[in-house]
Amino acid sequence: MRAAIYERFGEPSEVLTAGERPKPEPGPGQIRVRMTLSPIHNHDLWTIRGTYGHKPALPAIGGSEAVGIVDAQGEGGTAPAIGQRVVAGGVAGSWADYFLAPAAGVVPLPETIDDATACQLIAMPLSSLMLLEDLQIDSGQWMIQNAANGAVGKIVALLAKARGIKVAGLVRRDAGIAELAALGIDNAISTEAPGWEDRVRALVGGEPILRAVDSVGGEEGGRLTHLLAEGGMLMSFGNMSHKPLVISSGDLIFRQISVKGFWGARRSASTDKAELGRLIGELVRLAASGELRLTIDERFGLADAAAAAAASDRPGRSGKIALVGSV
């Protein structure tokens, strides 16, 4: 089968190569999935760079989530049925024609969910939904996030909207406001011109901003704490700037702002099956109803994985970059 392979850690656009690998055979409790579409997530790129919380043995096949068709079952397996369309998250090696997944860990999909949404329905949306729960924020209350027109920012805003949570979303460009509005996401503020902090305060109309989500890091991430109400919390979700988060000691000391980190993989591992089922069920329902729509900006063949990784790293995208598998 075809696969996007890396034999050393490094910049994905430099170390990813197209290659051939044997088609994997599922063991007990596993299924083999014929990959249809697999997104490129930031954590996939961090894994290839060797900077993520998990380092695979090399050589490795990239990718961790995909939508596809069940192609084979391990010994004794009966479900999901061969031919069933499923999404699998948290797997290894999804950037290939075929990959293995735990039979109990994939999610069967209704036809009402398109491939673009389906291929990225688990990793980021599930983390985003868990994030909202960990923020302990109620319907009608305010939170703020940066990188609001990034993939995670859009998902958080859509999921929060479905729960009645009000989100002030920061974007770096004025054009980002219209981009979000086209998705039904309002309350966006551009930081392109000075005075954006005052525009945020005017937006919330004196109501307290209780929570902040930072996906950028550096000084930009630290500025969110200035807008939080006393006793508010900043959740560090990502680090797009690759810079250490800079936070005012005055915010921590005098206004009792707290800071926490969120890692979806650890949160998922500590969540029981019943709770995971409830959260994934909510995501499937929202996607099937059209309330949660996820987009793909550009699709690449497996042979062009290095170019796809470079495209994924470029700013200004409105959706994910994805790799196309067997059809």
Side-chain angles (χ1 to χ4, degrees), residues 129-139 141-143 163 165 210-211 233 235 260 267:
L129 198 52
M130 289 176 170
L131 170 70
L132 283 177
E133 300 230 328
D134 288 359
L135 288 175
Q136 297 180 337
I137 187 168
D138 296 326
S139 176
Q141 295 180 323
W142 279 100
M143 60 174 282
R163 292 184 167 202
I165 298 167
L210 302 178
R211 300 289 185 264
M233 180 178 71
M235 187 78 82
K260 292 183 66 176
R267 175 61 159 81

Side-chain angles (χ1 to χ4, degrees), residues 216-230:
V216 178
E219 293 185 0
E220 186 173 336
R223 290 191 188 103
L224 294 177
T225 61
H226 302 332
L227 294 164
L228 282 171
E230 185 171 337

Side-chain angles (χ1 to χ4, degrees), residues 14 17 29 39 49 58 88 92 97 102 135 186 224 292:
E14 298 173 2
T17 59
R49 293 185 182 107
L58 299 178
D97 284 325
L135 288 175
D186 50 14
L224 294 177
L292 178 62

Side-chain angles (χ1 to χ4, degrees), residues 113 122 137 141 193 236 262 304 307 320:
I113 303 178
I122 301 301
I137 187 168
Q141 295 180 323
S236 176
F262 182 93
D304 299 318
K320 285 281 186 182

Side-chain angles (χ1 to χ4, degrees), residues 1-9 11-22 24 35 38-40 44-45 47-49 56-65 91-99 300-310 321-326:
M1 67 173 186
R2 302 171 303 161
I5 302 162
Y6 56 104
E7 298 184 341
R8 60 183 175 87
F9 296 115
E11 198 55 39
S13 60
E14 298 173 2
V15 301
L16 278 170
T17 59
E20 296 280 335
R21 285 292 185 269
M35 191 270 280
S38 183
I40 297 179
D44 294 323
L45 301 180
T47 299
I48 295 169
R49 293 185 182 107
L58 299 178
I61 299 173
S64 58
E65 183 175 20
V91 296
S94 66
W95 296 350
D97 284 325
Y98 299 88
F99 64 91
F300 290 78
L302 288 168
D304 299 318
I321 303 297
L323 295 172
V324 180
S326 300

Side-chain angles (χ1 to χ4, degrees), residues 22-52:
K23 186 187 296 185
E25 295 299 328
Q30 290 183 317
I31 57 170
R32 184 172 65 209
V33 179
R34 176 167 53 85
M35 191 270 280
T36 304
L37 196 63
S38 183
I40 297 179
H41 294 305
N42 286 337
H43 64 254
D44 294 323
L45 301 180
W46 296 336
T47 299
I48 295 169
R49 293 185 182 107
T51 58
Y52 197 51

